[in-house]
mmCIF file of all heavy atoms in Angstrom:
data_model
loop_
_atom_site.group_PDB
_atom_site.id
_atom_site.type_symbol
_atom_site.label_atom_id
_atom_site.label_comp_id
_atom_site.label_asym_id
_atom_site.label_seq_id
_atom_site.Cartn_x
_atom_site.Cartn_y
_atom_site.Cartn_z
ATOM 1 N N ASP A 60 4.853 -33.938 -1.257
ATOM 2 C CA ASP A 60 5.606 -35.037 -1.874
ATOM 3 C C ASP A 60 6.398 -34.569 -3.085
ATOM 4 O O ASP A 60 7.396 -35.167 -3.463
ATOM 5 C CB ASP A 60 4.638 -36.156 -2.291
ATOM 6 C CG ASP A 60 3.899 -36.703 -1.092
ATOM 7 O OD1 ASP A 60 4.548 -37.343 -0.257
ATOM 8 O OD2 ASP A 60 2.679 -36.441 -0.955
ATOM 9 N N SER A 61 5.867 -33.527 -3.738
ATOM 10 C CA SER A 61 6.592 -32.978 -4.883
ATOM 11 C C SER A 61 6.197 -31.508 -5.025
ATOM 12 O O SER A 61 5.288 -31.036 -4.333
ATOM 13 C CB SER A 61 6.260 -33.748 -6.165
ATOM 14 O OG SER A 61 4.865 -33.667 -6.414
ATOM 15 N N LEU A 62 6.900 -30.804 -5.921
ATOM 16 C CA LEU A 62 6.653 -29.363 -6.053
ATOM 17 C C LEU A 62 6.544 -28.996 -7.528
ATOM 18 O O LEU A 62 7.338 -29.472 -8.353
ATOM 19 C CB LEU A 62 7.824 -28.595 -5.422
ATOM 20 C CG LEU A 62 7.722 -27.061 -5.432
ATOM 21 C CD1 LEU A 62 6.612 -26.582 -4.497
ATOM 22 C CD2 LEU A 62 9.052 -26.422 -5.004
ATOM 23 N N VAL A 63 5.540 -28.183 -7.847
ATOM 24 C CA VAL A 63 5.448 -27.634 -9.199
ATOM 25 C C VAL A 63 5.716 -26.134 -9.090
ATOM 26 O O VAL A 63 4.997 -25.412 -8.399
ATOM 27 C CB VAL A 63 4.062 -27.881 -9.834
ATOM 28 C CG1 VAL A 63 3.977 -27.182 -11.195
ATOM 29 C CG2 VAL A 63 3.800 -29.366 -9.981
ATOM 30 N N VAL A 64 6.780 -25.703 -9.728
ATOM 31 C CA VAL A 64 7.174 -24.294 -9.679
ATOM 32 C C VAL A 64 6.698 -23.591 -10.950
ATOM 33 O O VAL A 64 7.042 -24.032 -12.051
ATOM 34 C CB VAL A 64 8.710 -24.160 -9.574
ATOM 35 C CG1 VAL A 64 9.122 -22.696 -9.546
ATOM 36 C CG2 VAL A 64 9.230 -24.880 -8.348
ATOM 37 N N VAL A 65 5.910 -22.558 -10.780
ATOM 38 C CA VAL A 65 5.536 -21.772 -11.955
ATOM 39 C C VAL A 65 6.705 -20.830 -12.218
ATOM 40 O O VAL A 65 6.945 -19.877 -11.488
ATOM 41 C CB VAL A 65 4.232 -20.998 -11.739
ATOM 42 C CG1 VAL A 65 3.908 -20.170 -12.972
ATOM 43 C CG2 VAL A 65 3.101 -21.968 -11.448
ATOM 44 N N ALA A 66 7.464 -21.183 -13.224
ATOM 45 C CA ALA A 66 8.764 -20.547 -13.408
ATOM 46 C C ALA A 66 8.783 -19.553 -14.553
ATOM 47 O O ALA A 66 9.678 -18.720 -14.647
ATOM 48 C CB ALA A 66 9.821 -21.619 -13.646
ATOM 49 N N GLY A 67 7.778 -19.595 -15.412
ATOM 50 C CA GLY A 67 7.755 -18.659 -16.534
ATOM 51 C C GLY A 67 6.401 -17.998 -16.607
ATOM 52 O O GLY A 67 5.371 -18.635 -16.377
ATOM 53 N N GLY A 68 6.399 -16.704 -16.902
ATOM 54 C CA GLY A 68 5.152 -15.980 -16.968
ATOM 55 C C GLY A 68 4.657 -15.678 -15.579
ATOM 56 O O GLY A 68 3.503 -15.365 -15.376
ATOM 57 N N ASP A 69 5.517 -15.772 -14.624
ATOM 58 C CA ASP A 69 5.106 -15.409 -13.275
ATOM 59 C C ASP A 69 6.260 -14.804 -12.492
ATOM 60 O O ASP A 69 6.397 -13.613 -12.436
ATOM 61 C CB ASP A 69 4.496 -16.617 -12.559
ATOM 62 C CG ASP A 69 3.561 -16.180 -11.453
ATOM 63 O OD1 ASP A 69 4.074 -15.607 -10.492
ATOM 64 O OD2 ASP A 69 2.344 -16.396 -11.567
ATOM 65 N N CYS A 70 7.135 -15.651 -11.963
ATOM 66 C CA CYS A 70 8.026 -15.114 -10.947
ATOM 67 C C CYS A 70 9.417 -15.734 -11.005
ATOM 68 O O CYS A 70 9.566 -16.942 -10.875
ATOM 69 C CB CYS A 70 7.391 -15.394 -9.593
ATOM 70 S SG CYS A 70 8.429 -14.980 -8.234
ATOM 71 N N HIS A 71 10.426 -14.901 -11.181
ATOM 72 C CA HIS A 71 11.797 -15.416 -11.240
ATOM 73 C C HIS A 71 12.314 -15.813 -9.867
ATOM 74 O O HIS A 71 13.146 -16.702 -9.743
ATOM 75 C CB HIS A 71 12.726 -14.370 -11.855
ATOM 76 C CG HIS A 71 12.328 -14.027 -13.242
ATOM 77 N ND1 HIS A 71 12.393 -14.935 -14.262
ATOM 78 C CD2 HIS A 71 11.800 -12.896 -13.778
ATOM 79 C CE1 HIS A 71 11.944 -14.385 -15.366
ATOM 80 N NE2 HIS A 71 11.569 -13.152 -15.106
ATOM 81 N N ASN A 72 11.824 -15.144 -8.856
ATOM 82 C CA ASN A 72 12.231 -15.533 -7.508
ATOM 83 C C ASN A 72 11.804 -16.968 -7.239
ATOM 84 O O ASN A 72 12.535 -17.740 -6.640
ATOM 85 C CB ASN A 72 11.586 -14.626 -6.460
ATOM 86 C CG ASN A 72 12.190 -13.243 -6.466
ATOM 87 O OD1 ASN A 72 13.172 -12.998 -7.147
ATOM 88 N ND2 ASN A 72 11.601 -12.340 -5.715
ATOM 89 N N ALA A 73 10.584 -17.306 -7.695
ATOM 90 C CA ALA A 73 10.074 -18.659 -7.479
ATOM 91 C C ALA A 73 10.961 -19.671 -8.199
ATOM 92 O O ALA A 73 11.220 -20.762 -7.686
ATOM 93 C CB ALA A 73 8.638 -18.772 -7.962
ATOM 94 N N LEU A 74 11.456 -19.290 -9.369
ATOM 95 C CA LEU A 74 12.317 -20.199 -10.126
ATOM 96 C C LEU A 74 13.558 -20.558 -9.320
ATOM 97 O O LEU A 74 13.940 -21.719 -9.201
ATOM 98 C CB LEU A 74 12.706 -19.556 -11.465
ATOM 99 C CG LEU A 74 13.717 -20.312 -12.324
ATOM 100 C CD1 LEU A 74 13.188 -21.680 -12.712
ATOM 101 C CD2 LEU A 74 14.072 -19.517 -13.574
ATOM 102 N N VAL A 75 14.181 -19.530 -8.728
ATOM 103 C CA VAL A 75 15.422 -19.777 -7.982
ATOM 104 C C VAL A 75 15.134 -20.507 -6.671
ATOM 105 O O VAL A 75 15.789 -21.507 -6.345
ATOM 106 C CB VAL A 75 16.178 -18.450 -7.719
ATOM 107 C CG1 VAL A 75 17.455 -18.732 -6.935
ATOM 108 C CG2 VAL A 75 16.506 -17.760 -9.038
ATOM 109 N N ASP A 76 14.131 -20.019 -5.936
ATOM 110 C CA ASP A 76 13.844 -20.677 -4.655
ATOM 111 C C ASP A 76 13.328 -22.097 -4.872
ATOM 112 O O ASP A 76 13.597 -22.991 -4.064
ATOM 113 C CB ASP A 76 12.866 -19.834 -3.825
ATOM 114 C CG ASP A 76 13.590 -18.671 -3.146
ATOM 115 O OD1 ASP A 76 14.773 -18.841 -2.780
ATOM 116 O OD2 ASP A 76 12.993 -17.589 -2.990
#
Side-chain angles (χ1 to χ4, degrees):
Chain A
D60 299 292
S61 59
L62 182 69
V63 175
V64 179
V65 178
D69 204 293
C70 173
H71 299 294
N72 288 353
L74 174 61
V75 180
D76 281 327

